[in-house]
Amino acid sequence: MMGKDSDMRPGDGDPSPLIVGALLGLKDAVVTWISRARQIVIRGFALFSIVFLLLWIAAFLYGSFYYSYMPKAVFSTPVHYHYRTDCESPASFLCSYPVANISLMRNSKHVLTFGQAYQMSLQLDMPDSPTNQELGMFMIKTTCFSREGGQVASSARSARQLLFASSSRFSMLRYRSELLRSLGTLLFFPAFLTGVSEQKQMLEVELFSDYTDDPYLPSASAIIEILSSKVQIYSSQLYVHAHFTGIRYLLFNFPLLSAVVGISSNFFFLSLLFVLSYVKLLFKEDWAPVQLRTDGGQNNHQEDESDAAEGTAEMVGPFLMTPQN
């Protein structure tokens, strides 16, 4: 019995090696899976970063193009009139027509874009007073000047000038009979009494219907003159509207669709450029070892030829010795 016990080796019938092998195999599988998952995550993050960067560049290019190509659609500014009061005659206090000087520049930049057609209109807030009703028709003259002070354009020109450049702008209050004004006053009496509403009319006068700024002589200011010294005005506002055509019309009226098309086009071209650059880089990496091996073979061949030449010189050297030697 003791001999049989001594013949038995330790570990026979023990399942420990099988468990250890299974654990090692499981460990290798987990390590392999983790390494593959890590590679997938790294590649996915790199791809997401590249796509995000290309989208950001595409959006930036479209925004830069839109900002530089699209002019301001609407420009408005208040108009403040002034009179000359240095009259020689004591009977009259107002010596001139109401005149307003308006700047067409913002932050040292011209408001009007070269080559773009604009519509200029003047909005007048006038009281419905007997003086304005008796005033009848009055003319409004507008003249644009450059920064150097030269006259660029005028909306009230003389008859000697060309027909397409000549225009006169008139305006007047809307006619309302005495009965209609009395009924309106009685109807809106509480609003008039509390100050919620006022007895006034809003007039809009078109100064220029299709004004295009000259690139060689851009407009920097405009002089608006109302050719009537008796006109009564609460406030006034100048509006400049741009008439877009072509690409500008699409960009302004369909901004979302234009943004999608523009950013998508930029992203497509940037992606194509990136793919071509990456393929070119891969081809360079594939050809680089072949060139190195070729250069190495040529160098080895040259070294072999130089070694052979040196051996030949050593073998021939003793036979070329002179008798003195």
Side-chain angles (χ1 to χ4, degrees):
M1 294 293 293
M2 293 178 63
K4 292 181 179 180
D5 294 338
S6 62
D7 291 339
M8 293 180 61
R9 295 178 181 178
D12 289 346
D14 190 5
S16 298
L18 298 176
I19 296 176
V20 172
L23 291 176
L24 291 177
L26 181 61
K27 179 181 179 182
D28 294 338
V30 171
V31 170
T32 304
W33 183 82
I34 291 176
S35 62
R36 290 181 180 178
R38 183 182 300 174
Q39 291 179 358
I40 293 174
V41 171
I42 293 174
R43 291 177 182 176
F45 180 75
L47 181 62
F48 173 77
S49 301
I50 293 172
V51 171
F52 178 78
L53 180 62
L54 292 178
L55 281 175
W56 188 87
I57 295 175
F60 176 77
L61 291 177
Y62 176 79
S64 301
F65 166 76
Y66 188 89
Y67 179 76
S68 60
Y69 184 71
M70 284 295 295
K72 194 172 183 179
V74 180
F75 169 75
S76 62
T77 181
V79 181
H80 304 286
Y81 298 95
H82 62 275
Y83 292 88
R84 285 183 52 220
T85 58
D86 52 347
C87 300
E88 297 180 357
S89 174
S92 177
F93 175 75
L94 303 178
C95 308
S96 66
Y97 297 132
V99 181
N101 189 359
I102 303 169
S103 177
L104 298 178
M105 301 186 67
R106 287 293 181 272
N107 298 325
S108 302
K109 294 182 180 180
H110 294 277
V111 174
L112 305 181
T113 303
F114 308 142
Q116 175 63 44
Y118 290 93
Q119 178 189 5
M120 293 187 184
S121 59
L122 182 66
Q123 188 174 1
L124 299 173
D125 188 6
M126 304 177 62
D128 195 4
S129 61
T131 302
N132 284 336
Q133 292 290 341
E134 295 174 0
L135 183 63
M137 299 180 65
F138 57 92
M139 190 171 67
I140 300 174
K141 179 181 178 181
T142 306
T143 308
C144 297
F145 293 91
S146 63
R147 183 177 293 182
E148 291 77 13
Q151 180 175 339
V152 178
S154 176
S155 65
R157 296 185 171 96
S158 62
R160 295 181 181 180
Q161 294 181 345
L162 298 177
L163 181 60
F164 69 88
S166 177
S167 61
S168 300
R169 306 305 186 199
F170 294 93
S171 182
M172 65 178 297
L173 292 180
R174 298 291 179 182
Y175 173 75
R176 297 175 63 188
S177 63
E178 294 292 338
L179 179 61
L180 185 60
R181 280 188 288 180
S182 300
L183 292 176
T185 302
L186 293 176
L187 181 62
F188 294 97
F189 177 75
F192 294 151
L193 187 62
T194 56
V196 176
S197 181
E198 296 180 355
Q199 290 180 309
K200 63 180 182 179
Q201 293 189 24
M202 191 73 66
L203 298 182
E204 186 171 355
V205 184
E206 185 184 73
L207 304 178
F208 293 97
S209 59
D210 192 7
Y211 179 77
T212 304
D213 204 8
D214 189 1
Y216 299 101
L217 199 63
S219 301
S221 62
I223 303 297
I224 298 179
E225 184 178 8
I226 300 178
L227 303 182
S228 176
S229 58
K230 297 181 180 180
V231 64
Q232 297 177 350
I233 301 173
Y234 282 143
S235 62
S236 181
Q237 195 85 7
L238 177 67
Y239 290 95
V240 180
H241 300 269
H243 291 293
F244 294 128
T245 57
I247 298 178
R248 288 175 176 171
Y249 177 83
L250 296 176
L251 293 175
F252 181 75
N253 291 279
F254 305 97
L256 184 59
L257 180 61
S258 302
V260 171
V261 173
I263 294 175
S264 301
S265 302
N266 293 335
F267 179 76
F268 173 76
F269 286 111
L270 290 174
S271 301
L272 182 61
L273 182 62
F274 176 79
V275 170
L276 292 178
S277 302
Y278 184 72
V279 171
K280 184 178 180 181
L281 182 62
L282 289 180
F283 275 115
K284 283 186 177 181
E285 291 181 354
D286 292 339
W287 282 97
V290 177
Q291 294 178 358
L292 290 176
R293 286 196 298 270
T294 304
D295 296 339
Q298 292 178 358
N299 294 332
N300 294 332
H301 182 66
Q302 293 177 359
E303 290 178 358
D304 294 339
E305 290 181 353
S306 61
D307 294 339
E310 291 178 357
T312 306
E314 290 178 355
M315 293 175 64
V316 177
F319 294 99
L320 296 178
M321 295 176 65
T322 60
Q324 295 178 358
N325 294 332

